[in-house]
Amino acid sequence: MKIKNKSFKDKSKKWLKRHVDDEFVQKSISDNYRSRAAYKLIEIIDKYKILDEAKNVIDLGSAPGSWCQVLKNRGKGLNSIIAIDILEMSEIKGITFYQTDFLSLEFEKISNIIGKFDLVLSDISPNLSGNKVSDFLLSRDLVENALSYSLQNLNADGHFIAKYFRSGDISDILTICKRNFYKVTSFKPKSSRKNSSEMYLVCLRKK
Ligand SMILES: C[S@@+](CC[C@H](N)C(=O)[O-])C[C@H]1O[C@@H](n2cnc3c(N)ncnc32)[C@H](O)[C@@H]1O
């Protein structure tokens, strides 16, 4: 396809240069991770020790699979790792992957058979349109749903981690988290791009 629009061309050139120069992109290539997102989870694990007691983990929004790779590398005590994404994800040995929409009836049926977890991770991100308001609302809806899933499917003392965007108000979500977990905080990993409003909600030890 011929790209006629010059500003679009310039933008994609800039994006490509930033991507290639990015230290975490380079590191992910040498460490064999499928994406630079791996380092966000590594930072969260190191800071909050979320894998120490975990046996069963679910990774919501798992494709292309770098969080699953980290779980395999770092979660030596894990019995099961389940991964969910709307998109395809190429196989990772030891990971049970379901290609389905987390908000679908199909997932509701799957969730009846996959049991409970000690750790729910959500790196789910909607298809970003660039419109801050609608992107925030879409992502907020996903966080709310992931939280509600956690409250129903986390074992006592289990942890919930979810990506959100700080471009809007999530104080009502935080209130629910504080009511249901012993410790609730927000975290911006160093590997998360500075110009992105992405943050991680860290909810430790479900009551
Ligand atoms: C930032 S990526 C996740 C990256 C992943 N943590 C990794 O390390 O490879 C966000 C993912 O969320 C998925 N996603 C978005 N909406 C979803 C939904 N409703 N159900 C399942 N997955 C969804 C996207 O398809 C995308 O693969």
Side-chain angles (χ1 to χ4, degrees), residues 102-146:
F102 164 65
L103 302 175
S104 67
L105 205 61
E106 186 188 16
F107 179 67
E108 219 176 293
K109 287 182 191 151
I110 294 169
S111 80
N112 290 329
I113 53 166
I114 55 181
K116 304 265 177 198
F117 298 92
D118 307 304
L119 177 60
V120 174
L121 299 173
S122 169
D123 197 25
I124 290 188
S125 177
N127 264 337
L128 299 177
S129 67
N131 177 320
K132 277 211 163 122
V133 178
S134 64
D135 286 345
F136 167 74
L137 292 174
L138 283 172
S139 125
R140 194 198 129 91
D141 184 50
L142 287 162
V143 177
E144 256 181 326
N145 277 283

Side-chain angles (χ1 to χ4, degrees), residues 34-38 40-41 59-70 84-89 98 100-104 122-127 142 163 198 200:
R34 291 180 181 184
S35 86
R36 70 189 295 296
K40 301 175 198 171
L41 181 60
D59 179 7
L60 305 172
S62 58
S66 68
W67 281 28
C68 288
Q69 293 178 297
V70 171
I84 308 284
D85 206 290
I86 294 187
L87 300 179
E88 272 181 43
M89 185 173 94
Y98 296 92
T100 184
D101 184 337
F102 164 65
L103 302 175
S104 67
S122 169
D123 197 25
I124 290 188
S125 177
N127 264 337
L142 287 162
K163 187 211 293 280
E198 163 189 273
Y200 287 86

